[in-house]
Amino acid sequence: MADLKKLAEEIVGLTLLEAQELKTILKDEYGIEPAAGGAVMMAAAGGDAGGASGAEQTEFDVILKSAGASKINVIKEVRAITGLGLKEAKDLVEAGGKAVKEGVDKAEAEDIKGKLEAAGAEVELK
Protein backbone atom coordinates (compact mmCIF):
# COMPACT_ATOMS: atom_id res chain seq x y z
CA MET A 1 0.00 0.00 0.00
CA ALA A 2 1.21 3.50 -0.80
CA ASP A 3 2.43 5.84 1.91
CA LEU A 4 -0.70 8.01 2.24
CA LYS A 5 0.99 10.82 4.17
CA LYS A 6 3.63 11.18 1.44
CA LEU A 7 0.91 11.11 -1.24
CA ALA A 8 -1.07 13.80 0.61
CA GLU A 9 2.05 16.00 0.88
CA GLU A 10 2.69 15.63 -2.85
CA ILE A 11 -0.91 16.58 -3.72
CA VAL A 12 -0.81 19.65 -1.47
CA GLY A 13 2.49 20.69 -3.08
CA LEU A 14 1.13 20.66 -6.65
CA THR A 15 1.20 23.83 -8.70
CA LEU A 16 -2.05 25.06 -10.21
CA LEU A 17 -1.07 23.69 -13.62
CA GLU A 18 -0.16 20.29 -12.15
CA ALA A 19 -3.45 20.18 -10.21
CA GLN A 20 -5.38 20.93 -13.42
CA GLU A 21 -3.49 18.14 -15.23
CA LEU A 22 -4.23 15.73 -12.36
CA LYS A 23 -7.91 16.64 -12.53
CA THR A 24 -7.94 15.97 -16.29
CA ILE A 25 -6.22 12.60 -15.88
CA LEU A 26 -8.59 11.50 -13.11
CA LYS A 27 -11.60 12.52 -15.17
CA ASP A 28 -10.52 11.20 -18.59
CA GLU A 29 -8.77 7.98 -17.63
CA TYR A 30 -10.64 6.93 -14.49
CA GLY A 31 -14.00 8.70 -14.72
CA ILE A 32 -13.42 10.49 -11.40
CA GLU A 33 -14.70 14.06 -11.20
CA PRO A 34 -13.10 15.98 -8.28
CA ALA A 35 -15.84 17.60 -6.21
CA ALA A 36 -13.91 20.67 -5.06
CA GLY A 37 -11.31 21.41 -7.72
CA GLY A 38 -9.57 24.26 -5.93
CA ALA A 39 -10.12 23.25 -2.31
CA VAL A 40 -6.71 21.63 -1.80
CA MET A 41 -4.93 24.54 -3.45
CA MET A 42 -6.96 27.03 -1.41
CA ALA A 43 -6.04 25.20 1.82
CA ALA A 44 -2.38 25.18 0.84
CA ALA A 45 -2.51 28.90 0.19
CA GLY A 46 -4.08 29.53 3.60
CA GLY A 47 -7.62 30.13 2.31
CA ASP A 48 -10.85 28.85 3.83
CA ALA A 49 -11.30 25.56 1.96
CA GLY A 50 -14.25 24.49 4.11
CA GLY A 51 -16.43 27.43 3.14
CA ALA A 52 -18.61 29.49 5.41
CA SER A 53 -21.65 28.07 7.14
CA GLY A 54 -23.59 31.33 6.62
CA ALA A 55 -26.19 31.95 3.95
CA GLU A 56 -23.92 34.01 1.68
CA GLN A 57 -21.87 32.10 -0.87
CA THR A 58 -18.14 32.72 -0.49
CA GLU A 59 -16.67 30.48 -3.19
CA PHE A 60 -17.61 30.59 -6.84
CA ASP A 61 -16.91 28.53 -9.94
CA VAL A 62 -16.38 30.43 -13.19
CA ILE A 63 -18.04 28.35 -15.93
CA LEU A 64 -17.31 29.03 -19.61
CA LYS A 65 -20.65 28.48 -21.37
CA SER A 66 -19.42 29.24 -24.91
CA ALA A 67 -16.49 30.93 -26.62
CA GLY A 68 -18.61 33.14 -28.86
CA ALA A 69 -17.37 34.49 -32.18
CA SER A 70 -13.78 35.28 -31.14
CA LYS A 71 -12.58 31.90 -29.88
CA ILE A 72 -8.88 32.77 -30.26
CA ASN A 73 -9.17 35.74 -27.88
CA VAL A 74 -11.04 33.59 -25.35
CA ILE A 75 -8.33 30.89 -25.55
CA LYS A 76 -5.68 33.57 -24.87
CA GLU A 77 -7.60 34.78 -21.81
CA VAL A 78 -8.12 31.24 -20.51
CA ARG A 79 -4.38 30.59 -20.84
CA ALA A 80 -3.58 33.81 -18.96
CA ILE A 81 -6.08 33.03 -16.19
CA THR A 82 -5.34 29.34 -15.68
CA GLY A 83 -1.72 28.95 -16.76
CA LEU A 84 -2.71 26.05 -19.03
CA GLY A 85 -0.86 25.22 -22.21
CA LEU A 86 -2.29 26.08 -25.61
CA LYS A 87 -3.79 22.64 -26.27
CA GLU A 88 -5.36 22.36 -22.80
CA ALA A 89 -6.83 25.87 -23.00
CA LYS A 90 -8.16 25.20 -26.50
CA ASP A 91 -9.77 21.94 -25.35
CA LEU A 92 -11.37 23.68 -22.37
CA VAL A 93 -12.77 26.48 -24.55
CA GLU A 94 -14.07 24.14 -27.24
CA ALA A 95 -15.74 21.81 -24.72
CA GLY A 96 -17.98 24.56 -23.34
CA GLY A 97 -19.75 24.28 -20.00
CA LYS A 98 -16.44 23.63 -18.19
CA ALA A 99 -15.06 25.43 -15.16
CA VAL A 100 -12.22 27.82 -15.90
CA LYS A 101 -11.59 28.41 -12.17
CA GLU A 102 -13.19 26.75 -9.17
CA GLY A 103 -13.49 27.81 -5.56
CA VAL A 104 -12.49 31.46 -6.02
CA ASP A 105 -13.79 34.42 -4.03
CA LYS A 106 -16.45 36.71 -5.47
CA ALA A 107 -14.09 39.54 -6.46
CA GLU A 108 -11.76 37.21 -8.37
CA ALA A 109 -14.71 35.43 -10.00
CA GLU A 110 -16.19 38.75 -11.18
CA ASP A 111 -12.77 39.84 -12.49
CA ILE A 112 -12.32 36.60 -14.46
CA LYS A 113 -15.89 36.82 -15.77
CA GLY A 114 -15.26 40.40 -16.96
CA LYS A 115 -12.04 39.44 -18.75
CA LEU A 116 -13.65 36.47 -20.51
CA GLU A 117 -16.74 38.45 -21.51
CA ALA A 118 -14.51 41.22 -22.87
CA ALA A 119 -12.83 38.58 -25.02
CA GLY A 120 -16.26 37.55 -26.35
CA ALA A 121 -17.13 34.53 -24.20
CA GLU A 122 -20.39 33.68 -22.48
CA VAL A 123 -19.62 33.07 -18.79
CA GLU A 124 -21.63 31.97 -15.75
CA LEU A 125 -20.82 32.08 -12.04
CA LYS A 126 -22.00 29.26 -9.81
Side-chain angles (χ1 to χ4, degrees):
M1 175 128 199
D3 182 8
L4 297 179
K5 182 168 175 70
K6 180 180 175 187
L7 179 62
E9 289 173 358
E10 289 177 8
I11 289 173
V12 170
L14 292 177
T15 65
L16 186 58
L17 180 58
E18 291 169 335
Q20 182 67 30
E21 289 175 14
L22 176 61
K23 178 183 171 188
T24 303
I25 291 168
L26 289 174
K27 181 178 177 192
D28 293 346
E29 294 184 20
Y30 300 100
I32 300 171
E33 183 78 38
V40 172
M41 296 306 295
M42 294 292 288
D48 181 17
S53 60
E56 187 175 340
Q57 184 177 355
T58 58
E59 290 187 353
F60 295 85
D61 295 343
V62 182
I63 310 295
L64 179 65
K65 299 303 276 182
S66 73
S70 55
K71 184 166 63 170
I72 293 173
N73 291 335
V74 175
I75 292 171
K76 287 179 182 178
E77 280 301 323
V78 167
R79 287 188 70 202
I81 293 166
T82 62
L84 292 173
L86 181 59
K87 181 181 181 335
E88 292 85 4
K90 181 177 179 279
D91 291 344
L92 190 145
V93 170
E94 288 177 344
K98 298 259 183 163
V100 175
K101 278 272 196 160
E102 296 177 325
V104 295
D105 61 44
K106 185 171 183 162
E108 185 178 354
E110 290 291 340
D111 182 48
I112 293 168
K113 180 180 179 187
K115 288 177 182 178
L116 290 171
E117 286 178 342
E122 182 182 335
V123 182
E124 175 185 24
L125 297 180
K126 287 189 177 184

